[in-house]
Amino acid sequence: MTVFDYADIKRDEDFHEKYLRVDPSMVDSSDEFSAFYKENIDPTWEHDLYEPILNILARVSLHVAGQINIGDDGDRILFQPSHLHAVEDERDATVNKPDLVAVWDKLSAGEDVIRDKSTRVPTSKTRRTTELVSFVDVELLNPELSDRAAVYARGLPRERPDIAGLLYMTCTAEIFRFCWSDASRLVYSKQYEWEKDVHLLFYFLHTLYDAVDDLPQRDSTMQLSKEENGKLVWTVKTANREMDAVRLFSTPAWGKQTWILQSGSYIIKDLWREKKMRFTEGAVLEKIHEEGYVPGVVRLGSYEEVAVTKADGSPQELETSRKHSGVIFCGTSNLLWQYKDVPDNSSSGTKRIEYEAVTHGGEDANDGNSTIESVQPHHEEIESGEAADDVEAGGAPDDGESEVEDDYASQVHEQKIPQRVKVKAILESYGDALEECTSLLQLLKIGFDIVHIHQFCVMDRDSLHRDISKSNIVINPKHKPDDTKKQNPKVMNENVKEIAMLIDWDNAALLGSGAPLTDMTGTPMYIAMAVSVGAFYFSEFQTRANFSLISDEARALYIGAYGQKKHDDYINEINKSPFIVEPEEEVPFEHLPYLDMESVFWLYAYILCRACVGDEDKSTYEYDRFTKVMEHHNPGYCMDDSRDLFIILTELEKWEKRLHPKLRLVAGMSHRMAQYLRKQWAYSKDDIPADHAHEMMKRLFLDEIVHVRKEGEVTINLKKTRGRWKDPASARKSLYGTHVTGSGDVLGVAQSNDNLGPVSGNVPQDQSRSSVGEKRRREDDNVG
């Protein structure tokens, strides 16, 4: 799999006219450059090309610098070899090194390059990523677009928050190309020939000196200040403040291109958001905190769109160009270069799937920092009509086995390429990563608090998060002191300790503010099934579930906190709603509040299964199958969701087998959550409270907290993950009837022992219990 499997790439035949400053007065009309090319370029090895290309580019740069009146004391843009410089790709840990990098240097350095006409391998100089202006990737013979260069261009913004766009070049001994990379996509030119198109190099260097107006290359509000204790310090400027900050986390280009920095008690969130999105994180957080700080929600200091000052002194909003963004990329051919852009006239934002990077064991990396803040680490965006990983535009798998492929040319395949604008949020809260939790009891309390605060935001602040994930929950929250605004007393007693906080409201929405929320938004591993396929399952005969009963001790705690009336009202509202629903047609999809609770369920089911206890590695087939399916889930893939194996066909015994033996005491909670959430509640939404699932989840978390207190605390390790099950593939197939891939990964199920026949909206609830689960048995499924 190459970098192009992730990029929205476009070949523009008129690249030099659109992306370069075309000014014939910059061109040296003599034949010196073509003559030098013919005389010096005769390579045997790739590195034989370095010196002549460096020489040509130095000549061009010095000429352009003179034309734009850079004095003898001023620095020039010069290309230099940089074998010692590299950027690591976070997807597969490959190290990518450009051959030649452009930096600012003295006039004398350029003259030295011109005088040296040898073809030896130049001495490589150590250059920081922060010094780079551009780069050149050199290939000996391959004329195709360089995958290595594209990976480097994508990864460079992870090291540089000031990069708004990157203009670079790839070449061989015969041809060269220009490329443009920014937060929206990668655009590349046709092939140009060294002999007859050398004048374009003058336009290329002129553009590096003076960017095209609608193709900004740098964000002047982010500037390198110094190095301190081995970390680079960046000066961050906003409309009303300036602060020095260090990086905590960053993501690559072709998406949100997010940078998170910390300056004392402030967290700075710098990202490229979709310009057409209806809601902003700033507006949502202002709504939530309008009557006082809401505990459990990150606090906002300021939120603004980034503007830079142009050469003429006028302000310019930092956004991607309409030349290649804010469009629909479509075609009927399987040849990418035959696709074309058409205007995107839709008024709302596009579909977004936040891709959380999966490293060993499916855990998301945070560059070694235990402190995280308002961001989903290592996310990439999938727009409307675009598919994930092995799915091409239009939803057809690229393995050649899909029936869709047989009629590929008759279909229109399209992807939305959103126009992006850079925004900067100053947040006044931070905390520790969820994986720092080492107590099962504490983990359950965190779940209770997150559901409680999410419920308050939905019901009292009309704010829906829409992206519950492990990365968006922090523990041990801390806030910048503020005496001007007090805590909202409606949410939590001031004497109750705030143990968790919900962050990253960038995909959140304000309820009741217009059209239904139909965007596909969330983190794939935890996204609700209806959101994943963009539809609610339709059946002419559907049933609802009853509220799960909880223990007397848990009920007493709940009533003590919320009162008898609230306890009874939700049960009564559910029970008086129709038990059997017979819809005449499918309910149109919209992101309802209960779908976020399904995300909480998937999150807790996954992290509990992955949690380690001590040094024991108690992996099982059921554990391996569950975690593999979760980690490989592709939203929108063939309009199906393979995770229904675990929620529609939920069985307590199998939840126990998925967990570490010492954590099986909480299997009943996952099973009962699945029993409730597998129902298609959208067909009963007019008859039940909008926060019914929140109440169910809170009560089950509370019930499990009481249960763990009785059974005894368990120390867990969320940083370490359990190993894979290592039973022979033949045993797996004979015992479970599974489909095993060539690599031995179990990614699907054929006719297993628990087959219930055709799945409908009325699947019988499982009544089996193991010895561990028997004492947790509840009569929640009885009618009447």
Side-chain angles (χ1 to χ4, degrees):
M1 187 172 292
T2 70
V3 69
F4 300 123
D5 293 307
Y6 304 100
D8 298 315
I9 63 174
K10 171 190 176 183
R11 186 167 80 175
D12 194 320
E13 297 297 316
D14 302 317
F15 186 100
H16 62 283
E17 297 178 359
K18 297 178 181 178
Y19 290 83
L20 303 181
R21 282 200 175 277
V22 178
D23 184 353
S25 68
M26 293 291 151
V27 180
D28 185 339
S29 58
S30 70
D31 61 357
E32 172 189 353
F33 298 95
S34 295
F36 180 86
Y37 168 83
K38 293 177 182 178
E39 179 183 338
N40 290 279
I41 296 189
D42 183 22
T44 302
W45 306 101
E46 177 184 299
H47 61 250
D48 294 336
L49 290 168
Y50 292 177
E51 197 67 46
I53 291 174
L54 288 172
N55 197 303
I56 291 174
L57 292 175
R59 292 167 183 264
V60 172
S61 182
L62 265 56
H63 176 80
V64 171
Q67 293 295 102
I68 60 177
N69 299 318
I70 295 179
D72 291 345
D73 293 336
D75 287 348
R76 271 75 171 157
I77 294 175
L78 298 174
F79 285 85
Q80 300 176 357
S82 184
H83 309 304
L84 302 179
H85 169 78
V87 170
E88 183 176 313
D89 181 37
E90 89 291 350
R91 290 189 179 276
D92 56 11
T94 57
V95 174
N96 301 282
K97 300 179 180 181
D99 297 305
L100 312 173
V101 296
V103 298
W104 290 95
D105 211 334
K106 300 295 183 184
L107 171 61
S108 58
E111 293 172 339
D112 289 342
V113 173
I114 293 174
R115 282 193 294 267
D116 187 356
K117 296 183 179 181
S118 68
T119 57
R120 62 180 175 78
V121 179
T123 302
S124 181
K125 297 180 180 179
T126 301
R127 289 291 185 181
R128 286 186 177 276
T129 306
T130 51
E131 297 179 79
L132 268 61
V133 178
S134 180
F135 69 94
V136 176
D137 189 73
V138 181
E139 300 277 357
L140 181 61
L141 297 173
N142 182 17
E144 299 303 320
L145 185 62
S146 169
D147 179 66
R148 178 179 63 185
V151 172
Y152 183 81
R154 179 178 179 271
L156 192 57
R158 291 186 66 209
E159 312 299 324
R160 294 275 300 276
D162 61 328
I163 289 182
L166 189 63
L167 180 65
Y168 67 95
M169 177 177 159
T170 66
C171 66
T172 69
E174 302 295 333
I175 62 97
F176 60 90
R177 294 181 189 270
F178 300 121
C179 303
W180 173 265
S181 175
D182 62 19
S184 62
R185 71 198 301 191
L186 175 69
V187 185
Y188 65 100
S189 73
K190 63 183 180 182
Q191 296 179 4
Y192 302 110
E193 297 180 17
W194 280 104
E195 289 193 60
K196 69 177 184 179
D197 296 316
V198 70
H199 65 283
L200 297 179
L201 296 177
F202 292 87
Y203 301 157
F204 172 63
L205 264 298
H206 187 197
T207 308
L208 291 180
Y209 279 110
D210 186 10
V212 177
D213 287 346
D214 64 340
L215 294 165
Q217 298 178 38
R218 296 294 176 266
D219 174 6
S220 58
T221 69
M222 308 286 285
Q223 295 183 351
L224 181 63
S225 173
K226 56 186 176 181
E227 182 174 346
E228 191 174 84
N229 299 324
K231 293 184 177 181
L232 297 180
V233 179
W234 294 87
T235 298
V236 182
K237 299 177 182 178
T238 66
N240 54 13
R241 70 181 88 186
E242 183 175 309
M243 59 189 77
D244 286 344
V246 296
R247 178 179 69 170
L248 295 176
F249 167 77
S250 58
T251 64
W254 309 342
K256 285 187 176 181
Q257 197 171 307
T258 303
W259 257 70
I260 303 298
L261 307 97
Q262 185 165 16
S263 177
S265 58
Y266 290 105
I267 296 297
I268 302 163
K269 183 177 179 181
D270 187 80
L271 62 87
W272 294 77
R273 68 182 297 273
E274 292 181 30
K275 192 170 184 178
K276 282 189 175 181
M277 286 178 65
R278 282 194 285 164
F279 313 101
T280 68
E281 183 174 27
V284 172
L285 291 176
E286 286 178 0
K287 173 71 174 177
I288 291 173
H289 295 299
E290 64 182 358
E291 294 181 13
Y293 287 128
V294 173
V297 177
V298 63
R299 299 178 184 179
L300 179 70
S302 64
Y303 187 92
E304 63 186 49
E305 293 187 353
V306 176
V308 295
T309 303
K310 296 166 59 176
D312 60 5
S314 61
Q316 177 186 15
E317 189 178 59
L318 211 54
E319 60 185 19
T320 57
S321 175
R322 290 303 298 264
K323 292 173 180 174
H324 57 265
S325 65
V327 296
I328 297 176
F329 190 46
C330 65
T332 57
S333 169
N334 58 358
L335 301 176
L336 190 62
W337 53 85
Q338 293 184 6
Y339 277 47
K340 64 178 181 179
D341 287 347
V342 297
D344 179 9
N345 298 318
S346 60
S347 58
S348 61
T350 56
K351 295 183 178 181
R352 293 174 302 283
I353 295 297
E354 305 306 332
Y355 261 74
E356 185 165 299
V358 177
T359 58
H360 176 67
E363 297 299 306
D364 42 275
N366 63 0
D367 292 346
N369 294 305
S370 61
T371 301
I372 61 173
E373 41 331 288
S374 306
V375 69
Q376 318 90 304
H378 295 248
H379 290 171
E380 182 172 303
E381 301 194 1
I382 299 293
E383 309 302 342
S384 177
E386 179 184 356
D389 289 342
D390 296 328
V391 187
E392 294 182 340
D398 63 3
D399 57 8
E401 299 178 357
S402 171
E403 295 180 0
V404 180
E405 289 290 330
D406 297 335
D407 195 26
Y408 193 99
S410 66
Q411 303 177 57
V412 175
H413 302 265
E414 59 182 42
Q415 298 173 215
K416 285 190 177 182
I417 311 297
Q419 186 178 23
R420 296 184 178 277
V421 59
K422 198 173 194 188
V423 298
K424 198 177 266 83
I426 307 298
L427 305 169
E428 299 178 345
S429 307
Y430 60 97
D432 299 323
L434 181 60
E435 64 184 15
E436 296 295 323
C437 177
T438 58
S439 158
L440 175 60
L441 185 61
Q442 187 76 351
L443 185 64
L444 296 171
K445 291 178 179 179
I446 290 167
F448 180 93
D449 277 14
I450 290 298
V451 172
H452 174 78
I453 197 61
H454 188 282
Q455 181 181 21
F456 175 83
C457 291
V458 167
M459 302 305 291
D460 287 66
R461 291 293 176 266
D462 295 322
S463 300
L464 183 63
H465 190 278
R466 298 198 301 172
D467 188 18
I468 303 295
S469 72
K470 187 179 76 170
S471 303
N472 292 340
I473 297 173
V474 299
I475 61 176
N476 308 319
K478 303 172 184 65
H479 309 283
K480 174 184 173 292
D482 186 354
D483 296 330
T484 63
K485 186 184 287 189
K486 299 297 183 182
Q487 177 174 301
N488 191 318
K490 294 182 181 179
V491 191
M492 187 185 296
N493 188 299
E494 291 187 359
N495 296 322
V496 177
K497 183 181 179 182
E498 181 185 21
I499 64 170
M501 181 170 63
L502 197 53
I503 64 173
D504 196 357
W505 292 75
D506 191 61
N507 288 326
L510 295 175
L511 301 172
S513 57
L517 304 173
T518 58
D519 290 355
M520 185 186 291
T521 303
T523 300
M525 206 185 305
Y526 315 119
I527 194 172
M529 288 173 45
V531 181
S532 179
V533 300
F536 295 112
Y537 174 77
F538 175 73
S539 171
E540 295 180 353
F541 181 86
Q542 303 199 43
T543 63
R544 63 157 171 81
N546 289 328
F547 245 47
S548 291
L549 301 179
I550 57 178
S551 65
D552 292 341
E553 297 93 328
R555 184 166 56 253
L557 287 173
Y558 181 95
I559 293 172
Y562 300 105
Q564 184 73 50
K565 184 177 185 303
K566 185 172 183 177
H567 173 270
D568 296 342
D569 283 351
Y570 282 92
I571 296 175
N572 294 334
E573 288 292 326
I574 293 294
N575 288 344
K576 74 179 184 182
S577 66
F579 184 77
I580 297 175
V581 181
E582 300 178 90
E584 297 181 357
E585 59 184 3
E586 181 179 326
V587 173
F589 171 74
E590 60 179 309
H591 197 131
L592 298 173
Y594 84 88
L595 297 175
D596 272 16
M597 292 301 97
E598 186 182 328
S599 293
V600 175
F601 158 72
W602 289 120
L603 169 62
Y604 264 74
Y606 180 76
I607 60 177
L608 284 170
C609 284
R610 294 292 274 159
C612 289
V613 180
D615 296 326
E616 298 175 297
D617 187 1
K618 301 289 186 178
S619 299
T620 64
Y621 163 74
E622 286 296 340
Y623 156 78
D624 200 57
R625 180 174 69 162
F626 175 72
T627 54
K628 281 284 182 64
V629 170
M630 288 287 290
E631 291 160 14
H632 289 82
H633 174 56
N634 289 333
Y637 183 79
C638 297
M639 293 303 292
D640 196 8
D641 193 325
S642 55
R643 296 173 303 165
D644 61 5
L645 298 167
F646 315 117
I647 191 168
I648 302 244
L649 306 179
T650 181
E651 293 183 46
L652 177 60
E653 182 180 1
K654 291 192 174 182
W655 283 112
E656 291 171 344
K657 290 179 179 178
R658 291 170 192 139
L659 292 163
H660 188 283
K662 294 183 180 178
L663 294 177
R664 289 176 181 170
L665 72 166
V666 297
M669 180 184 73
S670 296
H671 175 55
R672 290 193 291 164
M673 287 179 176
Q675 285 180 315
Y676 190 88
L677 292 168
R678 72 185 184 181
K679 299 300 182 180
Q680 298 299 308
W681 292 102
Y683 293 93
S684 304
K685 64 179 182 178
D686 295 333
D687 301 315
I688 56 179
D691 59 341
H692 65 96
H694 294 79
E695 279 297 313
M696 181 277 299
M697 297 285 281
K698 279 168 58 175
R699 296 177 195 212
L700 291 183
F701 272 122
L702 185 59
D703 200 25
E704 214 60 44
I705 289 169
V706 171
H707 182 215
V708 172
R709 282 176 176 171
K710 282 185 176 181
E711 297 294 321
E713 174 64 293
V714 180
T715 300
I716 59 176
N717 187 340
L718 300 182
K719 295 180 180 179
K720 181 182 175 182
T721 56
R722 297 162 66 193
R724 294 299 183 190
W725 189 59
K726 296 180 175 62
D727 229 29
S730 58
R732 268 181 277 180
K733 189 167 185 178
S734 62
L735 288 173
Y736 296 96
T738 59
H739 169 70
V740 182
T741 67
S743 63
D745 291 345
V746 183
L747 301 179
V749 173
Q751 296 297 317
S752 62
N753 294 338
D754 59 353
N755 181 31
L756 298 179
V759 177
S760 70
N762 186 28
V763 181
Q765 302 272 3
D766 169 61
Q767 297 297 325
S768 64
R769 297 290 191 274
S770 68
S771 58
V772 175
E774 185 62 35
K775 58 184 176 183
R776 306 288 296 149
R777 182 171 183 172
R778 304 288 180 236
E779 301 298 332
D780 5 328
D781 299 320
N782 291 344
V783 182

